[in-house]
Amino acid sequence: MVIHTPQIAPPIAVFDLDGTLADTAGDLVGTLNVILEQEGLAPLPVEDARDMIGAGARALIERGFEAARKELAPAHLDKLFTQFMAHYSENICIRTELFPGVIEALDRLEDAGFILAVCTNKIEEHSVRLLDALGISHRFAANCGRDTFAYFKPDPRHLILTIARAGGDPSKAVMVGDSRTDIVTAQNAGIPSIAVPFGYTDVPVQSLNPDIVIDHFDKLFGAVETLLKPMAA
């Protein structure tokens, strides 16, 4: 008689990408500026345009045109979006860097038995390419983008399906992000959230009611323990 031991899924930490794991503003705004200059508009300083990031490339282009007080017809936006995506794909990791402490935080979670995953509204191809360029793609059991499933953040199914693909346990999961989209996704999925305040958000991240806010990745493991210990009790 063969006795099958039930497989217990390990805990999982799921990360947003832009503004959470990596500061991608330089390359995103750099690509926006290529589009703006092509249209005869002045480029934007990265620091002035950081808060325009976070809602996707189409919204970034629209916000760039709004800043220049230039009308943008829907058909022309479609054309510029295609150009943006092509240029960004080839210039995805010129100025992009991981935020301080990311590698050490991933190490500590892995050493504690956590599965790691990425749940981003970047298209999957760009997410894979960027994490490859940053040298950390092998750390993640799943890397799920805007087009991986039929759903994307803030739809909670994007997060739930990412956890399933990675082989994690949703009852022992935490979402780490920088924006309203990430926090609302986690809340809708019934999963605790940890927010970082150095990403891309148009309001202070504390006002969005994440479970915990950390100002450096060296505080991530302690925050994860705080949130998941009650679930294990």
Side-chain angles (χ1 to χ4, degrees):
M1 177 179 178
V2 178
I3 299 175
H4 296 282
T5 303
Q7 295 296 310
I8 300 174
I12 182 168
V14 183
F15 296 85
D16 175 52
L17 179 48
D18 295 78
T20 301
L21 288 172
D23 188 355
T24 55
D27 291 322
L28 287 166
V29 177
T31 296
L32 172 63
N33 283 335
V34 168
I35 299 295
L36 294 177
E37 291 182 287
Q38 162 191 303
E39 296 294 306
L41 303 175
L44 295 168
V46 172
E47 286 309 310
D48 291 351
R50 285 180 68 89
D51 289 346
M52 297 181 182
I53 300 169
R58 287 180 183 275
L60 180 58
I61 296 167
E62 288 176 317
R63 291 166 181 176
F65 271 70
E66 287 170 7
R69 299 183 180 181
K70 176 87 179 280
E71 292 290 329
L72 180 58
H76 194 46
L77 172 60
D78 290 341
K79 176 183 175 183
L80 296 183
F81 172 75
T82 299
Q83 293 172 355
F84 182 104
M85 296 297 278
H87 183 275
Y88 181 64
S89 180
E90 297 304 318
N91 297 272
I92 202 165
C93 196
I94 308 300
R95 287 172 282 183
T96 291
E97 295 181 337
L98 294 172
F99 284 109
V102 165
I103 295 295
E104 295 80 2
L106 299 182
D107 285 344
R108 192 163 184 197
L109 286 167
E110 286 185 321
D111 288 346
F114 277 77
I115 291 177
L116 308 177
V118 168
C119 181
T120 174
N121 274 349
K122 247 180 169 53
I123 64 170
E124 184 177 328
E125 178 189 351
H126 284 180
S127 183
V128 169
R129 182 174 294 195
L130 179 55
L131 291 177
D132 280 344
L134 291 169
I136 61 169
S137 61
H138 64 286
R139 312 292 294 263
F140 301 100
N143 184 353
C144 301
R146 184 184 186 95
D147 56 340
T148 302
F149 308 114
Y151 319 100
F152 55 86
K153 297 184 297 184
D155 191 310
R157 287 171 289 188
H158 190 183
L159 177 54
I160 296 298
L161 289 168
T162 297
I163 293 169
R165 177 168 289 193
D169 183 346
S171 72
K172 295 182 287 186
V174 63
M175 175 77 195
V176 185
D178 69 306
S179 70
R180 182 189 306 274
T181 298
D182 301 316
I183 295 164
V184 169
T185 301
Q187 289 169 342
N188 289 342
I191 288 170
S193 61
I194 298 171
V196 295
F198 41 71
Y200 314 133
T201 174
D202 55 356
V203 298
V205 75
Q206 293 87 344
S207 70
L208 301 173
N209 299 316
D211 291 280
I212 295 178
V213 177
I214 58 170
D215 59 9
H216 193 284
F217 269 98
D218 60 9
K219 298 177 181 176
L220 178 62
F221 190 78
V224 170
E225 278 196 315
T226 297
L227 292 175
L228 296 189
K229 270 185 178 177
M231 298 180 186

